[in-house]
Amino acid sequence: MTTQGGFATEHCYTADILVIGGGLAGCWAALTAARSGAKTLLLEKGYCGTSGVAAAGGPGHWWIPPLPGARENAVTERLRMAAGLGDASWMHRIIDRTWRTLPDIAAYYDYTPDDEGRIRINALRGPEYLRALRDCCLAAGVHIVDHSPVLGLLRGTHGDVVGAYGVHRQAPGGVWEARARATILATGGCAFRSRLLGALNNTGDGHLMAAELGASFSGMEFSSVFTVAPARTTMTRTMIYSFATYTDANGHEISRPTVPDGNAGLALALERGPVWCDLSRTPEDIRRQLPQISPNVMLPFRRLGIDPFSERFRIDLIGEGTIRGVGGLHVAGEACESEVAGLFIVGDVASRENVTGPISGGGAVNAAWALTSGCLAAEGALDYLPTGHTKNAGRVGTQPASGPLRRQDAWSTAEDVVCAEMLDAAHQLLRREANLLRSQGALDAAWQETRDASVPPDPRSWQHTRETQATLAVARWCIASASCRQESLGMHKRADAPDTPAPPPYRVRTGGIDEIWTRKEVMTV
């Protein structure tokens, strides 16, 4: 995208470490940096402590005690499911770091004993977990600035990242710039504007920012996750649905998926008509523990006047994109470095293939990855030595128009195209070359249309435009990667090649802004 126009900077911040995003990964990164004595600035699009998908759920963590053989067995089992894409050393690192670090929030989190009086340190209530992390960060001296979306990165004279810029959505208002020795992206995944609870601000912003500076992606084909929710609601917590029985409008049972990303049968049934769910098989102990494990799950049922354990209810499938998917920015080093100097990547914005392979990390592995990647990136950022001064920097990314506005309809059209192509559950869960080519054509055409459209000269429109660009860009990388991998693997199902022999393990890398490229990288032992 070209750069033109723009707003003058009204507020300036300086820090040693800049963290963009205040979810699990961002908070752990900021906390680690501040506790090491670094001047740490955290900028959040919403309100740090309530923003993002983790705040709306009940995050568990990959929690393996250091008992003889326990961790080795856990890693061996995960590698078995990783289809050659996993990395044992990364798995051991996140298990160990999570075990040692998660208890650090104990002074700020009110644990509740389970039915047997035990404290489950690894199973946390999302709203309280995020609030505890915010309190920890503030106590450590982190400067948190809420309601201040980042719209792009600042590039130094040597091409490295020296900070970011954005707008304040609340007082004091205006455009801000932040300069830092190192920057950590913790902007989350991309849900393509689906109704996923907590994901309204997960629009792939960090993906686009990094790609504009030359970063690339891995595993973007593993983005086809659709989760069950009660119809007309957004509550997509998967654990309870492992006990579900599904029927069509005529009462005929639909094959029950055995894994969270195996909902293809439900998608096809929903194309034919309503699908109903019955949770009567749920064990009594799970029903009792549910308010502690996932406190929000029962809220929509109460509002609808439904007892889900004795009454059938209609369901929808909601796309989770790269959030419960796997793909993201390529992790270039053991400190979660990106391919761009001065930029570190954590949580869902980064590829999780090393720890999950081609299947979803669900809650436990993803949460452990968020914690560990945040800590590792902060430590790497503290050791990073910038190549130049942060004062010499230029904004990267599309700026508001300085002249007459052009083609404003292109932005709303682009949003419609993304939703149509990426939130069609049947097509995404059972991919075919013809559909992928059609999607690629539609998304590329929308991208070309937005290139000729102006960005309105007001902060809210600027933010919304950048979010639209980001969701569109992430969709293009996902579809290109899905076309590149022509056999089924993990959550990537190719319905047009069900019997294709599995080739040697490889990863699909992709990148580019106007011209999307892909390549296969064969895994080495």
Side-chain angles (χ1 to χ4, degrees):
M1 285 286 178
T2 58
T3 302
Q4 76 275 351
F7 290 109
T9 302
E10 299 178 46
H11 309 279
C12 295
Y13 302 95
T14 59
D16 297 319
I17 306 297
L18 169 62
V19 180
I20 303 175
L24 289 188
C27 284
W28 280 112
L31 182 60
T32 303
R35 284 179 170 174
S36 298
K39 182 181 179 182
T40 306
L41 172 66
L42 187 155
L43 289 152
E44 164 59 37
K45 182 191 287 190
Y47 182 84
C48 174
T50 66
S51 183
V53 292
H61 292 71
W62 205 9
W63 190 250
I64 313 294
L67 300 175
R71 294 180 175 180
E72 289 76 11
N73 291 340
V75 169
T76 298
E77 176 61 18
R78 195 76 199 182
L79 287 172
R80 183 187 65 80
M81 298 184 289
L85 301 183
D87 185 312
S89 63
W90 272 102
M91 295 180 187
H92 278 290
R93 289 174 81 196
I94 75 165
I95 290 173
D96 182 63
R97 190 62 180 251
T98 302
W99 177 266
R100 291 187 290 112
T101 305
L102 186 57
D104 286 355
I105 67 168
Y108 296 88
Y109 185 89
D110 182 18
Y111 291 98
T112 302
D114 64 14
D115 290 346
E116 299 177 5
R118 296 173 300 179
I119 296 295
R120 297 181 182 271
I121 295 177
N122 61 310
L124 303 169
R125 299 178 294 275
E128 295 167 52
Y129 185 12
L130 268 292
R131 184 178 63 195
L133 282 174
R134 181 187 177 97
D135 291 343
C136 285
C137 286
L138 291 173
V142 177
H143 182 193
I144 298 175
V145 183
D146 298 304
H147 306 295
S148 299
V150 177
L151 301 182
L153 298 172
L154 297 177
R155 176 165 47 198
T157 54
H158 298 282
D160 50 346
V161 173
V162 296
Y165 66 93
V167 294
H168 290 304
R169 292 292 298 270
Q170 296 185 357
V175 176
W176 57 261
E177 286 190 2
R179 310 295 175 93
R181 191 178 74 195
T183 299
I184 299 174
L185 272 184
T187 48
C190 181
F192 305 114
R193 299 289 193 187
S194 74
R195 295 180 293 109
L196 176 64
L197 183 64
L200 182 63
N201 61 357
N202 278 212
T203 49
D205 306 355
H207 298 68
L208 178 60
M209 295 178 207
E212 288 172 331
L213 284 165
S216 65
F217 303 85
S218 183
M220 296 299 280
E221 69 272 32
F222 305 125
S223 59
S224 53
V225 178
F226 286 78
T227 310
V228 174
R232 301 181 300 281
T233 79
T234 59
M235 182 54 67
T236 56
R237 304 271 72 87
T238 60
M239 184 275 291
I240 195 68
Y241 292 99
S242 60
F243 306 105
T245 300
Y246 300 99
T247 55
D248 62 20
N250 297 318
H252 300 136
E253 185 170 342
I254 301 167
S255 297
R256 187 168 64 89
T258 57
V259 293
D261 53 16
N263 288 326
L266 295 181
L268 293 174
L270 281 165
E271 286 194 329
R272 297 189 294 268
V275 171
W276 298 81
C277 180
D278 178 349
L279 293 177
S280 60
R281 295 172 53 249
T282 307
E284 286 297 329
D285 60 331
I286 298 295
R287 301 185 193 189
R288 289 196 308 272
Q289 295 174 23
L290 193 59
Q292 178 183 341
I293 300 170
S294 294
N296 292 333
V297 168
M298 295 303 293
L299 292 179
F301 293 114
R302 292 188 186 121
R303 289 170 179 162
L304 294 170
I306 294 172
D307 177 359
F309 304 119
S310 63
E311 301 176 68
R312 291 195 315 159
F313 56 93
R314 285 181 57 180
I315 59 102
D316 287 331
L317 286 177
I318 296 181
E320 301 209 24
T322 69
I323 294 172
R324 201 183 293 267
V326 172
L329 288 161
H330 172 62
V331 179
E334 293 191 352
C336 294
E337 304 97 324
S338 75
E339 298 163 291
V340 182
L343 184 66
F344 297 78
I345 49 177
V346 301
D348 290 351
V349 76
S351 172
R352 284 135 283 159
E353 288 173 296
N354 282 328
V355 295
T356 68
I359 65 173
S360 174
V365 176
N366 279 358
W369 163 253
L371 182 158
T372 302
S373 61
C375 296
L376 294 175
E379 292 164 355
L382 290 166
D383 292 337
Y384 173 72
L385 296 176
T387 57
H389 298 294
T390 61
K391 66 175 64 175
N392 299 316
R395 295 180 188 174
V396 180
T398 304
Q399 306 293 302
S402 56
L405 298 182
R406 306 183 310 275
R407 301 294 311 279
Q408 291 302 287
D409 59 321
W411 299 114
S412 57
T413 299
E415 286 193 339
D416 292 341
V417 171
V418 169
C419 291
E421 301 304 331
M422 302 307 295
L423 301 181
D424 186 322
H427 288 173
Q428 287 294 327
L429 292 172
L430 293 170
R431 289 166 166 166
R432 293 177 171 81
E433 186 65 20
N435 289 335
L436 291 171
L437 289 174
R438 177 186 55 75
S439 294
Q440 198 164 16
L443 294 167
D444 287 347
W447 183 264
Q448 291 301 317
E449 290 290 322
T450 59
R451 280 182 54 83
D452 296 328
S454 299
V455 178
D458 67 87
R460 287 181 180 270
S461 295
W462 190 8
Q463 177 192 349
H464 189 79
T465 295
R466 288 292 281 167
E467 291 175 340
T468 300
Q469 288 178 340
T471 56
L472 180 54
V474 174
R476 295 173 76 217
W477 293 315
C478 288
I479 294 298
S481 296
S483 293
C484 184
R485 187 177 292 278
Q486 298 178 337
E487 77 286 346
S488 294
L489 185 67
M491 71 178 72
H492 171 69
K493 307 294 186 186
R494 287 297 298 259
D496 53 357
D499 300 319
T500 302
Y506 66 91
R507 289 182 178 168
V508 175
R509 295 284 298 279
T510 187
I513 297 294
D514 291 327
E515 298 294 331
I516 304 297
W517 57 264
T518 58
R519 69 169 180 263
K520 297 179 180 180
E521 289 187 351
V522 177
M523 300 292 294
T524 57
V525 179

